[in-house]
Amino acid sequence: MQPSTRRNLLLAGGAAALARPRPARAATTLNVVLESEAVILDPHFTTAAISRTFGYHVFDTLFAMDDSGAIRPQMVDRHESSSDGLTWRFTLRDGLRFHDGAPVTARDCALSLQRWAPRDAMGRLLLAAGAQFEAADAATLVLTLREPFPLVLEVLGKPNAPVPFILPERLARIPGDTRITEIVGSGPFTFRTDLWKPGSSMVLERFDGYRPRPEPASFLAGGKAVKIDQLALHVLPDQATAATALMAGEIDYQQYLPFDLLPRLERARGITLMGLGGLHMFQGNFRLNHAAPPFDDPEVRRVLWHLVDQPAVLQAIGVPGRFAVQRCGSVFMCDSPYESRTGAEALDFSLEKARAALARTRYGGQPVVMLEVQSSISQTASMVLAQNLRAVGFTVEQQVMDWGTVLARRVRKEGWSLFSVYANGIDMISPLTHFYIASTCADYTGWSCDARIPPLLQAFARAPDLAARRTLAEQIQGVAYELTPAVSWGQFTIPAGYRNRLRNLPQSSFPMFWNVEV
């Protein structure tokens, strides 16, 4: 079968499912290909970015971040705090409803936050301050604290996964370590369970009962007015197939364009590329498993600082120079408020130094089991590292799979050593949100722990100003270079691409499909 024929059949399967015209006019459908298939739909269960993307379309939050990084009310109409900072009252907007028609109440919100908080690094800091959520009445949520916590709004409006999305009470009562199977939110789109074809397509439909905020949309905040009827999320074999479908007009949007096809895409008629810098860049990391040999040994872990050649990885991936930071030793992203060089001298690529450092450890030839996502830039990064690992004496076993399988494997303490991944820069700029720092001693993606980090994180959350937080971030980064929870393989931008027929598409590295018109 020719690739174009296979692609058309894949899209046709989704299009057939979408044939659900609304009265008096034809349905408008937006066909998109995202970074991967959304497999875990429980918004509190995982840190996976694809689950967050799904969540922001189907669920809603009390607060949200705008384009400037400020936190603004979303489901909340108004809020106030006591003079001592220990009591907060939040009044919900009128007319909020779940997709099943039930009104959103303060009790739904209280139970949702209680479910979410223990599974999130910033949520756990809030709990450590004695946070208790209660409903004073149907529209009023009350937060009481044992001690002041200056970042209350930042926690409730953070865009970092897992996001504090609001669920109906019956779902919020399900323990956080058990996935919900009924997907009901109050966001701008509904999830059509009956049209879901795992491995092929997923359909989100405009929720006619959603009431957007009156102000203009700004990043994740403001008025989310849905102007399409259906959003079809297609699963295609690889990025190149998706890019070909984009150029042929068979899909409308592709989240991640393959770097080797950028010249063709830039010349293609009817396509706009979205390449954003700053906080919309990405940070790539090799996440290490501290629970199993050989990386249960901190000395063996630290050998990797000599084995990751950031410019070589970015070159192998094919990142054009204008889309990359060639060398970045800051754990919290270069060109960010908490950029630091503390400890960064350890990031020193040298096969000779790595070979000598490995010889000084107790490494006994145990295999480094690398989980690789097939046909991804993460896999390319892994291949570069695998070559360097073998060159200095490591035994390496590369296992190729899809991202969903990686997510399932990483929750186990055995059977893997590292996986390659990249994350939105907005997730990695702060000690409180950086996946591999914020969850130290309470995380299942690498089982890493250094007892010095949690108190520093608590001090960071209570720090009175940016200067104090910067000092603490430097201390945390110094510990992280000793702990080695992950090793960065680069900072870069991945352009998205979309058909010119789309109007008012939000310009963001987060895929967002409210306000867009076809």
Side-chain angles (χ1 to χ4, degrees):
M1 182 181 296
Q2 294 297 317
S4 60
T5 303
R6 172 180 170 80
R7 183 176 64 254
N8 289 336
L9 288 174
L10 285 165
L11 293 178
L18 295 175
R20 196 170 181 266
R22 293 175 179 269
R25 65 178 177 84
T28 54
T29 298
L30 198 64
N31 293 291
V32 307
V33 174
L34 301 183
E35 59 176 299
S36 64
E37 181 179 8
V39 177
I40 299 175
L41 308 185
D42 184 330
H44 300 158
F45 195 81
T46 180
T47 59
I50 185 63
S51 298
R52 171 178 61 192
T53 297
F54 174 86
Y56 267 113
H57 288 79
V58 175
F59 301 93
D60 213 345
T61 54
L62 297 180
F63 292 84
M65 180 180 286
D66 69 12
D67 284 324
S68 70
I71 302 299
R72 289 167 35 181
Q74 191 61 23
M75 298 175 73
V76 167
D77 178 52
R78 60 188 183 275
H79 64 281
E80 60 184 6
S81 63
S82 60
S83 58
D84 59 8
L86 298 182
T87 303
W88 293 70
R89 297 177 68 86
F90 308 96
T91 302
L92 299 178
R93 290 195 289 135
D94 292 335
L96 297 179
R97 290 196 171 274
F98 289 110
H99 299 155
D100 59 7
V104 177
T105 70
R107 185 168 180 80
D108 298 311
C109 298
L111 292 171
S112 295
L113 295 173
Q114 290 170 17
R115 181 180 193 263
W116 157 81
R119 298 188 61 81
D120 179 77
M122 292 181 74
R124 288 191 292 271
L125 289 173
L126 191 59
L127 293 177
Q132 294 185 10
F133 297 97
E134 296 179 342
D137 55 48
T140 308
L141 173 69
V142 178
L143 165 64
T144 57
L145 299 165
R146 183 177 58 251
E147 57 190 74
F149 189 84
L151 300 178
V152 166
L153 300 185
E154 284 78 2
V155 172
L156 297 180
K158 75 184 191 75
N160 319 99
V163 175
F165 289 117
I166 301 304
L167 310 176
E169 177 180 346
R170 66 182 182 280
L171 301 181
R173 287 188 176 280
I174 297 173
D177 57 359
T178 301
R179 288 193 213 178
I180 62 171
T181 57
E182 181 189 5
I183 307 301
V184 177
S186 63
F189 289 86
T190 62
F191 170 57
R192 289 295 305 278
T193 307
D194 57 321
L195 299 182
W196 187 21
K197 299 182 177 180
S200 175
S201 63
M202 173 185 289
V203 177
L204 305 183
E205 198 166 73
R206 185 180 70 228
F207 177 37
D208 289 332
Y210 185 77
R211 292 191 180 182
R213 293 190 64 87
E215 64 267 25
S218 178
F219 190 35
L220 298 165
K224 300 177 180 179
V226 178
K227 300 179 180 180
I228 57 174
D229 295 304
Q230 295 166 325
L231 178 65
L233 283 58
H234 296 282
V235 181
L236 294 184
D238 51 57
Q239 291 180 339
T241 302
T244 303
L246 179 66
M247 288 186 280
E250 296 165 353
I251 62 173
D252 300 299
Y253 171 95
Q254 181 179 356
Q255 182 178 357
Y256 293 158
L257 299 177
F259 290 109
D260 59 343
L261 291 183
L262 287 182
R264 280 186 61 193
L265 288 159
E266 289 175 324
R267 295 192 303 268
R269 295 181 61 183
I271 293 177
T272 296
L273 270 60
M274 186 196 308
L276 306 172
L279 298 185
H280 291 282
M281 298 185 83
F282 294 80
Q283 185 187 78
N285 279 281
F286 296 111
R287 177 58 156 147
L288 309 186
N289 181 6
H290 290 209
F295 296 135
D296 57 342
D297 185 334
E299 295 299 325
V300 177
R301 293 198 297 269
R302 285 194 280 269
V303 174
L304 266 67
W305 294 117
H306 297 305
L307 289 175
V308 177
D309 184 354
Q310 290 186 352
V313 171
L314 295 172
Q315 182 179 16
I317 290 170
V319 182
R322 68 186 184 279
F323 290 137
V325 176
Q326 288 302 312
R327 285 184 176 83
C328 180
S330 176
V331 171
F332 306 115
M333 298 280 291
C334 288
D335 302 318
S336 77
Y338 300 112
E339 177 180 358
S340 172
R341 292 292 303 168
T342 300
E345 62 276 2
L347 186 61
D348 178 21
F349 174 71
S350 168
L351 294 181
E352 292 76 15
K353 291 181 181 179
R355 192 175 292 110
L358 183 61
R360 292 193 295 269
T361 71
R362 296 186 296 274
Y363 176 66
Q366 303 96 331
V368 175
V369 180
M370 306 177 70
L371 309 183
E372 300 181 357
V373 179
Q374 186 172 17
S375 302
S376 69
I377 62 175
S378 292
Q379 184 181 30
T380 303
S382 291
M383 293 169 67
V384 176
L385 177 61
Q387 179 177 339
N388 293 340
L389 286 165
R390 291 188 176 103
V392 302
F394 279 101
T395 302
V396 178
E397 180 182 333
Q398 294 169 264
Q399 298 184 7
V400 181
M401 60 199 66
D402 59 32
W403 178 235
T405 304
V406 172
L407 292 177
R409 290 278 298 275
R410 72 179 187 177
V411 303
R412 302 203 302 261
K413 290 187 175 182
E414 69 288 334
W416 66 281
S417 305
L418 66 83
F419 62 88
S420 176
V421 67
Y422 51 93
N424 294 86
I426 203 165
D427 291 321
M428 313 302 271
I429 62 171
S430 164
L432 297 183
T433 61
H434 193 290
F435 290 130
Y436 314 129
I437 303 298
S439 293
T440 298
C441 303
D443 185 33
Y444 57 86
T445 69
W447 310 100
S448 59
C449 184
D450 189 304
R452 293 173 290 178
I453 291 181
L456 289 171
L457 291 175
Q458 293 177 9
F460 184 98
R462 293 167 173 77
D465 53 40
L466 179 61
R469 287 193 289 271
R470 281 176 173 163
T471 297
L472 288 161
E474 289 183 353
Q475 295 177 37
I476 293 168
Q477 178 164 306
V479 177
Y481 264 102
E482 296 178 28
L483 177 63
T484 320
V487 179
S488 173
W489 50 258
Q491 182 173 322
F492 57 99
T493 291
I494 309 177
Y498 59 94
R499 302 295 303 180
N500 291 348
R501 77 187 189 105
L502 304 188
R503 303 184 304 277
N504 301 321
L505 179 71
Q507 301 292 291
S508 168
S509 61
F510 283 40
M512 296 181 288
F513 301 105
W514 43 84
N515 298 311
V516 63
E517 299 178 75
V518 179

